[in-house]
Amino acid sequence: MSRFLSPRLDTVTPYTPGEQPQDQQYIKLNTNESPYPPSPAVLEAVSRAEVEKLRLYSDPACAELLNAAAKHFGLQPDQIMSGNGSDENLFFALRAFCDEEHPLAYADITYGCYGVWCGLMHIPSRIIPLREDFTLDPTDYYGLNTTIVLANPNAPTGLALPRSAIEGILKANPDHVVIVDEAYVDFGGESCVPLIDRYENLLVVQTFSKSRQLAGARLGLAMGNAKLIADLNRVKFSLNPYNINRLTLKAGQAALEDTAYFDSTRAVIVETRSWTRQQLEARGFTVLDSRSNFLFVRTARQDGGTLYRKLKENGVLVRHFDTPRIHSWLRITIGTPAQMQALLAALDKILED
Ligand SMILES: *Cc1c(COP(=O)(O)O)cnc(C)c1O
């Protein structure tokens, strides 16, 4: 760091993203991207004509995309906003609802960015441990008296809570916002979107990165009652009014409208997930009951860090978190069936040695 850095940033620990090697030499199962390309409709939408329009700013209101999203989710356009990835919407929400005196509560094992943003914005963290088996006890969140963020399904465990459990948390915290991060909901979770009209404190955040093949386009949606969305827009228009670029607006709308492609690709992922789980269990792995596009696994035969490294040497990238409680585990993204076969072949080779 330079001698010019604000002392307030001294203590910030930035997020470490999964590796993004810029060549194709790895089977990449480390950042929960889709192994399938975007819908053909996306390729059509990002047309030459649209590229030529890049000299003009994008629509700061994102009106066409939000209208399409409203139709898709059965909401009003003013109940939705788009972010540059769901990361940006989550950041807007923390900026809007938390500060030095208003903490954020979240699980000890969950998406790492929540803690990073708390550090950046000097928001006190209220960390609530998951149970021994990594399930979440909803009553731990009752009457907390703070803003809450829950990833559901959770990452990196893949475990999901039923909608009714989240409803209990919403009811038990009527004066605080409960943010439900549904990055993986399309792979078998129960969405809280149907609760939006009943709970003014509910904010649901979804992303196009995992189930709509657009991780590189950077697009997410936040959904909640119109007043909460207005609060997020207050932050957005104070920071970056043109936060979504033109090509992403078009790509996102096309991806949202191609529901057949969305449904078929997520169905294949779910099927590949259950096949892979069986295969891993047959090899003695412990595999959590994932409702997401990854599996969280461990084996008594080798520790997580070593297995991660050996898989990488064999051309397969997975994610290992060198953090308390989960250092013996690996998070493995569901790829194509052929990629999962290659993973299993690599594991067989490594565990035989
Ligand atoms: C991937 C992920 C995000 C970030 O998604 P982007 O839309 O790519 O910013 C947020 N939350 C969780 C739990 C995720 O896994």
Side-chain angles (χ1 to χ4, degrees), residues 43-66:
L43 297 181
E44 295 265 308
V46 183
S47 61
R48 184 185 175 99
E50 213 41 53
V51 173
E52 281 169 359
K53 281 193 216 149
L54 283 177
R55 70 185 183 80
L56 300 170
Y57 281 108
S58 55
D59 174 15
C62 306
E64 278 185 60
L65 174 69
L66 296 188

Side-chain angles (χ1 to χ4, degrees), residues 128 131 136-144 161 165-166 168-169 172-173:
I128 308 197
R131 295 189 186 106
L136 182 150
D137 181 350
T139 63
D140 288 346
Y141 290 77
Y142 284 9
L144 272 189
L161 289 171
I166 308 247
I169 295 172
N173 294 279

Side-chain angles (χ1 to χ4, degrees), residues 30 41 58 82 88 94 132 163 213 219 232 248 256 268 321 323 332-333 345:
N30 68 331
S58 55
S82 42
E88 191 181 51
L94 266 52
E132 196 55 39
R163 185 186 296 131
Q213 295 87 23
L219 187 63
L232 299 190
T248 293
L256 205 50
V268 179
F321 298 93
T323 49
I332 305 174
T333 304

Side-chain angles (χ1 to χ4, degrees), residues 93 97 104-105 141 144 146-151 165-181 192 196 199-205 223-224 228:
F97 307 121
L104 180 71
Y141 290 77
L144 272 189
T146 65
T147 304
I148 294 167
V149 62
L150 301 160
I166 308 247
E167 198 167 1
I169 295 172
L170 286 161
K171 279 185 187 153
N173 294 279
D175 298 323
H176 288 86
V177 176
V178 178
I179 305 163
V180 184
D181 181 349
C192 284
I196 284 173
Y199 296 93
E200 60 170 356
N201 57 332
L202 168 62
L203 187 73
V204 178
V205 174
M223 298 175 270
L228 286 187

Side-chain angles (χ1 to χ4, degrees), residues 1-159:
M1 63 184 77
S2 81
R3 62 195 170 88
F4 308 107
L5 183 70
S6 158
R8 300 197 88 195
L9 277 173
D10 270 1
T11 54
V12 172
T13 312
Y15 182 70
T16 311
E19 299 153 272
Q20 292 292 350
Q22 294 304 307
D23 48 35
Q24 297 285 311
Q25 61 167 320
Y26 290 103
I27 293 176
K28 195 170 177 306
L29 307 176
N30 68 331
T31 52
N32 300 341
E33 292 137 328
S34 175
Y36 302 109
S39 149
V42 169
L43 297 181
E44 295 265 308
V46 183
S47 61
R48 184 185 175 99
E50 213 41 53
V51 173
E52 281 169 359
K53 281 193 216 149
L54 283 177
R55 70 185 183 80
L56 300 170
Y57 281 108
S58 55
D59 174 15
C62 306
E64 278 185 60
L65 174 69
L66 296 188
N67 285 331
K71 218 168 133 198
H72 181 84
F73 289 101
L75 298 168
Q76 298 302 311
D78 66 0
Q79 293 176 300
I80 313 181
M81 78 173 280
S82 42
N84 193 303
S86 60
D87 281 344
E88 191 181 51
N89 274 331
L90 289 161
F91 180 88
F92 289 161
L94 266 52
R95 188 70 188 78
F97 307 121
C98 301
D99 57 39
E100 281 91 335
E101 277 99 52
H102 296 93
L104 180 71
Y106 53 93
D108 61 338
I109 298 165
T110 191
Y111 185 42
C113 281
Y114 308 146
V116 173
W117 293 318
C118 284
L120 182 63
M121 291 187 275
H122 298 267
I123 296 165
S125 292
R126 185 123 180 236
I127 295 174
I128 308 197
L130 297 175
R131 295 189 186 106
E132 196 55 39
D133 64 358
F134 300 138
T135 57
L136 182 150
D137 181 350
T139 63
D140 288 346
Y141 290 77
Y142 284 9
L144 272 189
N145 224 22
T146 65
T147 304
I148 294 167
V149 62
L150 301 160
N152 191 43
N154 196 12
T157 64
L159 299 175

